[in-house]
Amino acid sequence: MIVRMWEVRGEPARFADLISWVCDTAVPRIEVEPLHISSEVFSSTDHRVVVVSKWRGSTPVQLPDPPADLVARKPHAWDFTQVDR
């Protein structure tokens, strides 16, 4: 299983719009993928949105880029694998 963490910093005045776009547009696009297991969306007080998605296999589908007017910085993504302990 691969866990992808996707993070973007939003424009403060458009932060609610960014959250809506992530929840209503971006995440539904990946949730229909056959290897998708689950996704969670988080926000922070410093105008960041994080999506944590879990995938079967080693090639997660990328979230689409958000509209440029909603973000203060382009998104970044990192993939993680679980550590056996």
Side-chain angles (χ1 to χ4, degrees):
M1 176 177 58
I2 295 289
V3 175
R4 172 159 290 172
M5 185 179 87
W6 178 93
E7 179 265 336
V8 65
R9 182 184 295 270
E11 283 293 339
R14 303 287 313 273
F15 191 55
D17 296 328
L18 176 60
I19 291 173
S20 293
W21 179 85
V22 168
C23 292
D24 299 339
T25 302
V27 172
R29 284 190 192 171
I30 64 169
E31 287 178 323
V32 298
E33 295 292 329
L35 298 179
H36 179 264
I37 298 170
S38 66
S39 291
E40 296 178 285
V41 180
F42 303 90
S43 67
S44 69
T45 57
D46 67 347
H47 305 106
R48 292 177 197 243
V49 177
V50 172
V51 177
V52 177
S53 58
K54 294 181 181 179
W55 298 86
R56 290 177 195 85
S58 61
T59 311
V61 173
Q62 298 216 18
L63 283 167
D65 284 335
D69 61 326
L70 300 182
V71 299
R73 182 180 51 75
K74 286 187 164 195
H76 298 282
W78 302 268
D79 291 343
F80 298 90
T81 56
Q82 189 169 11
V83 175
D84 292 328
R85 47 184 199 109

